[in-house]
Structure formats: structure tokens, C-alpha cells
Amino acid sequence: MRTFTFKTAVLVMALGTMGAANAAINLHGEAGEKYTNLSASFGANDPGLTFNGNWAHSDDDGDVAGLGMGLNLPLGPVLFTVGGKALYLNPKSGDEGYAIAVGGGAQIPLGDFITVFGESYYSPDSLSSGVEDYVEANAGVRLRVIKSMYVEAGYRYIDMAGKNGHRDNKLADGGYAGFNFSF
């Protein structure tokens, strides 16, 4: 039984590595009124496995850093993503902790130069520590400037609900402008 489990694990890792090796790398940055968010992803715009990492910061409400993995599923021109994130939470008011968030999103191209997108992730109290729950959502539009560069505008919401008498920490709740490089 151990050999089967080990072989299966090796096969899954090899397939994931091959998919990531051929996938485009995206570097993303955005700034809102009171927060910044930086991220990198592999395979975010291609069918198959996708991996990402991000760091969001608000001077008023703290930090969130995360690593995620998802599966991109094409349905016609729409690319749906289902997945999860492991997050380190450092709210300004409250205890450091973690969250395991599940969710997904969709990207809809409107021609060759415009893409509309949205995503949402949620972690209940049972999958987090230091917070009551964690909610993250964003939606926006991306405009291709050149083949490897996009500019985007959207709305982002990141909230860590307070626990044990601590206040809620909303890292982001508003519009943002950003850029995205693919190579």
C-alpha cells in the first residue's frame, strides 16, 4: 500500500511541475486608497493547475500573506477557477493567526484586449485562528496594453472579523488601480 501512495504522490507532483513549468508567470501589483497588494502566479490564465502567492498591507488594519493553489477549468471562452489559500493573518487589532480559505473565480474575455474578472475566498472560524472569519473578494476589468502588460481597475474587499473582543480589520474596501506583467 505504501508503494501505491508514494507512486501516486510522485505522479501528482510531476504532473503539477510539468504544468507549472509551461505556464506563464504573472506579476501583479495594485494600490487602493488605504492598501497595497502584490502577487505572483503561475498558470493563472491557462487551463490546468495554477499556483499563487500574495501579500496585502494596510497601515490601518494589518497584513495578510498567502499561498494558493487552484484548478482552472475552461467552459467556452470563460475560465473558471476553484481552489484554496493558506493565509497568514496579522491584524492591527487582534491576534496573529492563520486561515485556510476556499473559493474561486472567473475570467471572461471581451475580445482580444479586455477581460472582466472576479473571485472570492472565505474561511470560517473552524478553518482559522485569531479571527472569527476571513473574507476576500475582488472584481474588475483588465485592459491589455501590449502582449505581456495589462492595466486594471477594480474593487477589492479583504476583511478579518474580530474575535475575543477585537475589532474587525478591513484591509481593503474600495476601488484600486493595478498592473499585471505576464512572461
Side-chain angles (χ1 to χ4, degrees):
M1 204 62 151
R2 283 180 181 242
T3 305
F4 177 73
T5 304
F6 179 72
K7 286 181 182 178
T8 303
V10 169
L11 179 62
V12 168
M13 288 189 306
L15 290 173
T17 303
M18 286 189 317
N22 294 324
I25 298 171
N26 293 323
L27 300 177
H28 176 83
E30 65 189 51
E33 185 178 342
K34 295 184 178 186
Y35 80 97
T36 55
N37 184 41
L38 301 173
S39 65
S41 60
F42 301 93
N45 301 317
D46 303 314
L49 290 176
T50 179
F51 302 93
N52 62 65
N54 81 299
W55 171 70
H57 172 77
S58 166
D59 287 338
D60 297 336
D61 291 296
D63 299 281
V64 172
L67 293 173
M69 185 172 106
L71 180 62
N72 289 338
L73 304 165
L75 184 59
V78 181
L79 186 63
F80 291 97
T81 304
V82 294
K85 294 182 177 188
L87 301 156
Y88 164 72
L89 309 175
N90 187 13
K92 193 80 152 193
S93 172
D95 299 325
E96 288 182 86
Y98 68 88
I100 305 297
V102 295
Q107 301 179 48
I108 305 167
L110 304 175
D112 292 335
F113 298 99
I114 299 173
T115 302
V116 177
F117 62 90
E119 68 178 353
S120 179
Y121 288 87
Y122 176 72
S123 176
D125 187 30
S126 61
L127 294 176
S128 58
S129 76
V131 297
E132 188 67 33
D133 63 15
Y134 173 85
V135 177
E136 174 182 338
N138 74 310
V141 62
R142 192 174 294 130
L143 176 65
R144 187 171 86 180
V145 178
I146 58 174
K147 184 174 173 101
S148 61
M149 183 182 158
Y150 296 81
V151 293
E152 71 181 53
Y155 185 90
R156 181 170 295 275
Y157 180 83
I158 301 174
D159 182 53
M160 296 180 280
K163 189 175 188 176
N164 301 327
H166 295 289
R167 70 174 174 87
D168 291 355
N169 289 274
K170 282 192 175 117
L171 268 73
D173 189 8
Y176 71 86
F179 64 89
N180 192 4
F181 291 106
S182 282
F183 50 95

